[in-house]
Amino acid sequence: MGRLEELNREIASCRKCNLGYSRTNPVPGEGPEDAEIMFIGEAPGFHEDRLGRPFVGASGHFLDELLEEIGLSRDQVFITNVVKCRPPGNRDPKPEELAACAPYLDEQIEIIKPKVIVTLGRFSMERYFPGESISKIHGRYKRIGNTVYLPLFHPAAALRQRRWKEDLREDFHKIPELLKMVKENPVEEEEESGSNDEYQQLSLF
Ligand code: SF4
Ligand code: URA
């Protein structure tokens, strides 16, 4: 069994937070183990919970559209969320739920080793850009070693606000260029590691 598959099994039986009791299906995320780009959203919604797949509702359709615009399809990228089970009524994930679920995302990143990590919305942005405001930093990236972090608006928010939709589209179109940049100019990594503590100490941008 592959490492991702093994992790999916673990998530499927997880009850580390209350969401594990109210969900219909866990939504671990999907995509190839060697994906170069990883998208991290917030949490599964109604449709995702029903199907056990990430971004399959309205935001997912918009995400597919944006991917197509930059010449990518869903099966070339890894798509997941900071929280793997649906919060009831789509409420915001609670701090204890985010904390309980974080090790799964850490492990997915460890396995996939994406070159570009795109955060969608403020909950995933907070992991890499703590204390920042998304309306201020969206579309600005930071690079740590051979990984680039790009914070974007959440597609659901963009679907509600025309201005954000245009911003999201514009920011999204930077992805191929950023991927090219890390691939063409790799740096020697002193340490292959990425705990949240270290991220916080590194300067932004
Ligand atoms: Fe486990 Fe994460 Fe689901 Fe909570 S949200 S039960 S930590 S998989
Ligand atoms: N919104 C998210 O943040 N994630 C999904 O998987 C679907 C909608």
Side-chain angles (χ1 to χ4, degrees):
M1 197 182 353
R3 287 176 73 194
L4 277 179
E5 212 180 314
E6 213 172 294
L7 189 62
N8 291 351
R9 282 204 182 186
E10 225 180 286
I11 293 170
S13 60
C14 181
R15 299 285 189 276
K16 284 199 295 174
C17 78
N18 280 334
L19 302 181
Y21 297 92
S22 55
R23 74 184 180 208
T24 312
N25 291 296
V27 184
E30 58 191 30
E33 200 155 316
D34 60 354
E36 294 180 316
I37 305 169
M38 179 187 273
F39 291 89
I40 311 175
E42 180 180 323
F46 175 84
H47 298 283
E48 291 77 21
D49 177 68
R50 282 293 165 95
L51 295 177
R53 299 184 57 207
F55 283 96
V56 288
S59 334
H61 293 307
F62 187 36
L63 182 60
D64 287 342
E65 192 182 309
L66 292 168
L67 282 168
E68 198 186 322
E69 284 176 15
I70 60 168
L72 289 171
S73 64
R74 192 176 254 265
D75 55 11
Q76 292 174 284
V77 299
F78 195 84
I79 304 176
T80 189
N81 288 297
V82 278
V83 155
K84 313 302 189 198
C85 304
R86 182 192 184 207
N90 295 351
R91 63 158 169 77
D92 286 350
K94 296 177 180 173
E96 63 269 27
E97 294 159 355
L98 290 160
C101 214
Y104 295 125
L105 182 54
D106 289 338
E107 203 165 325
Q108 288 172 323
I109 293 168
E110 176 59 32
I111 295 167
I112 295 161
K113 295 187 174 27
K115 294 186 166 62
V116 179
I117 292 185
V118 181
T119 63
L120 302 171
R122 61 197 168 94
F123 288 95
S124 50
M125 175 199 70
E126 188 65 26
R127 267 176 78 92
Y128 303 105
F129 302 88
E132 280 294 347
S133 139
I134 192 152
S135 46
K136 189 175 132 215
I137 67 159
H138 71 87
R140 294 167 69 181
Y141 69 92
K142 70 173 171 180
R143 177 177 177 163
I144 299 174
N146 290 313
T147 309
V148 161
Y149 300 85
L150 179 67
L152 301 190
F153 280 120
H154 194 287
L159 286 174
R160 287 192 300 266
Q161 277 276 349
R162 195 188 160 88
R163 189 164 45 88
W164 292 344
K165 190 172 182 182
E166 282 153 21
D167 284 343
L168 174 56
R169 176 167 274 126
E170 190 178 314
D171 294 343
F172 208 92
H173 282 249
K174 298 175 182 172
I175 296 171
E177 207 182 308
L178 291 172
L179 178 62
K180 190 162 170 257
M181 177 186 83
V182 269
K183 285 174 80 173
E184 290 182 355
N185 306 292
V187 294
E188 291 279 326
E189 296 221 51
E190 287 181 48
E191 217 186 20
E192 192 82 53
S193 156
S195 76
N196 281 334
D197 289 338
E198 274 169 59
Y199 287 126
Q200 289 185 28
Q201 284 160 23
L202 287 152
S203 63
L204 292 181
F205 320 116

